[in-house]
């Protein structure tokens, strides 16, 4: 989402770094470009003005102008103010469940913002990560099949959903859900309210009536990040009329300009608690202001990368591969396992988005037309091989290559490329087993196939 903003800020800061000393006019010129970049990213005008004023007050001080690395000092000041604008330093705020169970959580927002999907994502997150017993209930009696949608999501993810009673109105459903959650010994009750295509009086009165009936401990506004400034206006309206305790920002993985995320905290005073980063049920992350600021400024997000790796990499599989690498062994089954893990972490682009200082490499990847679907194709090719072929690729001759290509929906050239890549990786593994840890560090580049700019042995 922040790619365009990150690129423009990166250009501004690159010029600052190249200058040995900065004058007041240098800083003013740079901040003028930062202001334009933020406005183009759809950040609210009052937020931009406050941000630039705060940065300028510190950036033109003697501490910066006399600094040994003034460019870096300005970047640090921009970073600190960006963190403050997004919600402050420290750990991200998660859903507050510090209340007597069942804890009612009210999900509000406009139609199409992703409320129902986000409700199911939050329920799955609470159920798997925090071991909470969660009940979901749909109060949307207006949109066709809205209640059935939540029911299906519940069945897909093994999350209990309040049974549908035809003709029952939202407030009555909410009261029945609360009673069912108490009797069933649930820890959390998630209430998915109805939305409208725009803010109207009927919507606000209904949400307020549900709020008064269940007294939710959290009222989470679900907003679509791709709607830009309109999402900020929606957040402001819901906060003033209903009282919002936190924001869930959906479609953060899209190509929006990021202005909504940068403006919401400043405009509403309410924290962005969670962000939706994909369609899958587990594609939900805690919003960490500091980590997001680092991503925007091209500093990477190593902590999130490590967390993502810890969640996706299976310990037993990693230990098995490590033992094989120490022996210099690496067959096509091992390669398939590595491709699967890389894809789980979001593919090459997903990993690179979290690495610091890889903007230029990403540009090279785009120019080289490195296709993300290559991982899936490679997995399909390996999946079309027999067990013997995966263990001993040397037996794969011309006729077998044709069969594998036909079975995987690829070409013989694709099969040849994969076999060549595997041979290079297998050779590297043999060398790593002899070189030890230093050899491993030097050879890391070859682990991400087809990536320009990585070191080669």
């Amino acid at each position: 989402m922040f790619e365009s903003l990150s690129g423009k800020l990166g250009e501004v800061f690159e010029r600052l770094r190249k200058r040995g000393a900065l004058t007041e006019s240098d800083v003013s010129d740079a901040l003028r470009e930062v202001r334009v970049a933020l406005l183009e990213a759809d950040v609210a005008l009052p937020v931009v003005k406050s941000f630039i004023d705060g940065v300028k007050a510190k950036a033109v001080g003697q501490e910066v102008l006399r600094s040994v690395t003034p460019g870096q000092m300005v970047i640090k000041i921009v970073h600190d103010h960006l963190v403050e604008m997004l919600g402050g330093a420290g750990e991200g705020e998660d859903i507050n469940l510090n209340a007597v169970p069942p804890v009612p959580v009210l999900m509000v927002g406009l139609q199409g913002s992703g409320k129902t999907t986000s409700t199911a994502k939050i329920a799955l997150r609470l159920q798997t990560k925090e071991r909470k017993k969660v009940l979901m209930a749909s109060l949307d009696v207006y949109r066709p099949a809205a209640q059935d949608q939540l029911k299906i999501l519940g069945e897909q993810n093994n999350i209990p959903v309040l049974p549908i009673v035809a003709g029952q109105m939202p407030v009555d459903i909410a009261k029945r859900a609360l009673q069912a959650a108490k009797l069933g010994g649930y820890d959390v009750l998630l209430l998915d309210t109805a939305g409208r295509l725009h803010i109207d009086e009927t919507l606000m009165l209904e949400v307020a009536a549900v709020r008064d009936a269940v007294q939710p401990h959290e009222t989470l506004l679900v907003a679509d990040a791709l709607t830009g400034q309109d999402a900020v206006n929606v957040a402001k309206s819901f906060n003033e009329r209903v009282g919002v305790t936190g924001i869930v920002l959906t479609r953060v993985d899209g190509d929006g300009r990021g202005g909504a995320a940068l403006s919401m905290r400043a405009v509403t005073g309410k924290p962005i608690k969670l962000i939706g980063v994909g369609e899958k049920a587990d594609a939900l992350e805690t919003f960490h202001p500091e980590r997001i600021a680092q991503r925007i400024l091209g500093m990477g997000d190593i902590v999130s990368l490590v967390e993502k790796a810890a969640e996706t990499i299976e310990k037993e599989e990693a230990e098995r591969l490590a033992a094989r690498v120490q022996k210099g062994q690496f067959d096509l089954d091992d390669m398939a396992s590595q491709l699967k893990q890389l894809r789980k972490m979001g593919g090459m682009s997903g990993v690179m988005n979290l690495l610091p200082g890889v903007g230029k490499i990403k540009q090279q990847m785009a120019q080289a037309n490195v296709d993300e679907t290559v991982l899936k194709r490679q997995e399909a090719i390996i999946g079309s091989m027999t067990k013997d072929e995966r263990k001993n690729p040397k037996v794969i001759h011309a006729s077998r290559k044709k069969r594998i290509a036909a079975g995987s929906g690829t070409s013989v050239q694709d099969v040849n490329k994969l076999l060549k890549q595997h041979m290079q990786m297998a050779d590297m593994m043999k060398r790593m087993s002899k070189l030890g840890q230093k050899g491993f560090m030097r050879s890391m580049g070859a682990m991400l196939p087809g990536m320009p700019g990585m070191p080669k042995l």
Side-chain angles (χ1 to χ4, degrees):
M1 169 185 278
F2 301 107
E3 204 163 292
S4 175
L5 176 60
S6 183
K8 285 172 183 172
L9 292 179
E11 289 170 12
V12 176
F13 295 145
E14 189 67 29
R15 288 197 292 273
L16 284 179
R17 285 193 192 98
K18 287 177 180 176
R19 292 175 180 264
L22 293 180
T23 63
E24 216 170 291
S25 62
D26 290 333
V27 175
S28 296
D29 290 344
L31 291 183
R32 193 176 298 115
E33 291 185 59
V34 171
R35 180 200 297 270
V36 171
L38 291 171
L39 289 172
E40 285 180 356
D42 220 5
V43 180
L45 182 60
V47 178
V48 175
K49 189 176 184 303
S50 171
F51 178 82
I52 295 296
D53 289 347
V55 171
K56 191 169 186 178
K58 290 184 179 178
V60 297
Q62 292 302 308
E63 184 186 346
V64 170
L65 301 181
R66 291 181 181 177
S67 168
V68 177
T69 55
Q72 294 286 8
M73 284 291 287
V74 173
I75 295 165
K76 184 185 182 303
I77 291 166
V78 171
H79 169 266
D80 292 346
H81 275 264
L82 199 53
V83 172
E84 194 179 318
M85 184 168 76
L86 288 166
E91 286 300 302
E93 291 187 45
D94 221 321
I95 297 173
N96 181 8
L97 301 177
N98 189 19
V100 178
V103 181
V105 177
L106 195 63
M107 307 292 290
V108 301
L110 295 187
Q111 190 174 309
S113 61
K115 274 196 315 300
T116 304
T117 309
S118 295
T119 301
K121 284 182 177 182
I122 290 170
L124 182 64
R125 179 187 176 92
L126 293 174
Q127 194 169 270
T128 54
K129 290 193 174 182
E130 299 191 29
R131 299 287 184 265
K132 299 291 184 185
K133 190 179 178 184
V134 186
L135 176 67
M136 300 191 297
S138 174
L139 313 187
D140 191 349
V141 297
Y142 311 108
R143 185 166 58 91
Q147 291 181 308
D148 289 326
Q149 183 189 353
L150 190 68
K151 181 185 174 186
I152 291 166
L153 288 169
E155 288 169 353
Q156 287 173 346
N157 298 289
N158 296 315
I159 303 161
V161 180
L162 186 76
I164 299 167
V165 174
Q168 201 168 32
M169 296 310 286
V171 173
D172 296 323
I173 297 172
K175 288 177 180 177
R176 177 164 63 93
L178 189 57
Q179 187 63 25
K182 286 176 181 176
L183 293 173
Y186 287 92
D187 298 309
V188 184
L189 170 64
L190 290 173
L191 297 164
D192 178 25
T193 64
R196 301 285 190 282
L197 292 174
H198 55 84
I199 297 286
D200 64 12
E201 192 64 21
T202 310
L203 169 65
M204 289 304 183
L205 289 173
E206 184 180 285
V207 173
V210 172
R211 176 200 63 195
D212 295 340
V214 298
Q215 296 294 309
H217 189 63
E218 284 266 35
T219 300
L220 300 177
L221 171 71
V222 181
D224 186 341
L226 299 185
T227 54
Q229 276 306 295
D230 197 43
V232 179
N233 298 330
V234 167
K236 198 174 178 183
S237 299
F238 268 98
N239 189 42
E240 289 170 354
R241 293 294 302 275
V242 182
V244 171
T245 58
I247 296 162
V248 179
L249 210 55
T250 61
R251 293 206 273 188
V252 173
D253 57 320
D255 57 358
R257 290 176 286 183
L262 296 175
S263 304
M264 276 189 171
R265 172 68 190 229
V267 171
T268 64
K270 304 300 177 183
I272 299 171
K273 296 201 169 190
L274 297 163
I275 50 175
V277 292
E279 294 297 321
K280 292 182 180 177
D282 60 352
L284 192 70
E285 295 179 3
T286 302
F287 183 84
H288 294 275
E290 197 156 7
R291 298 186 196 181
I292 296 294
Q294 287 171 349
R295 288 191 213 180
I296 292 170
L297 297 179
M299 298 174 181
D301 184 359
I302 296 299
V303 178
S304 290
L305 181 60
V306 171
E307 286 178 354
K308 190 177 281 191
E311 287 175 10
T312 57
I313 294 173
E314 296 164 13
K315 189 181 176 184
E316 287 181 11
E317 177 61 26
E319 287 174 350
R320 184 193 69 80
L321 181 63
R324 286 178 59 77
V325 169
Q326 283 179 351
K327 296 174 185 175
Q329 298 170 342
F330 188 78
D331 61 22
L332 283 160
D333 280 325
D334 297 322
M335 185 176 179
S337 171
Q338 291 306 292
L339 292 170
K340 186 180 177 184
Q341 296 293 358
L342 183 58
R343 197 159 54 79
K344 272 188 185 178
M345 290 177 67
M348 285 185 274
S349 63
V351 172
M352 292 191 73
N353 283 335
L354 302 176
L355 290 172
V358 293
K360 289 178 181 176
I361 295 175
K362 282 171 73 178
Q363 286 175 6
Q364 289 173 1
M365 284 180 69
Q367 289 164 4
N369 293 320
V370 176
D371 188 1
E372 285 289 338
T373 58
V374 70
L375 298 177
K376 287 184 179 178
R377 283 205 306 273
Q378 288 177 332
E379 281 186 66
I381 291 169
I382 296 172
S384 297
M385 296 176 184
T386 65
K387 190 175 180 181
D388 289 338
E389 287 169 346
R390 291 197 298 273
K391 292 291 177 191
N392 184 19
K394 290 179 181 177
V395 303
I396 303 174
H397 47 68
S399 61
R400 291 193 181 207
K401 287 177 184 177
K402 285 180 184 177
R403 190 204 79 239
I404 293 164
S408 58
T410 58
S411 66
V412 172
Q413 287 90 338
D414 290 328
V415 177
N416 285 332
K417 279 181 191 174
L418 178 97
L419 292 172
K420 183 180 178 183
Q421 189 178 303
H422 168 261
M423 188 170 65
Q424 290 171 340
M425 292 177 79
D427 288 343
M428 182 192 73
M429 293 300 177
K430 286 175 185 173
R431 276 179 271 181
M432 281 169 62
S433 66
K434 295 174 185 175
L435 295 170
Q437 193 173 8
K438 287 182 181 178
F440 173 77
M441 295 308 293
R442 283 205 309 273
S443 306
M444 276 300 289
M447 289 297 289
L448 296 179
M451 186 179 290
M454 286 297 186
K456 292 180 180 177
L457 284 173

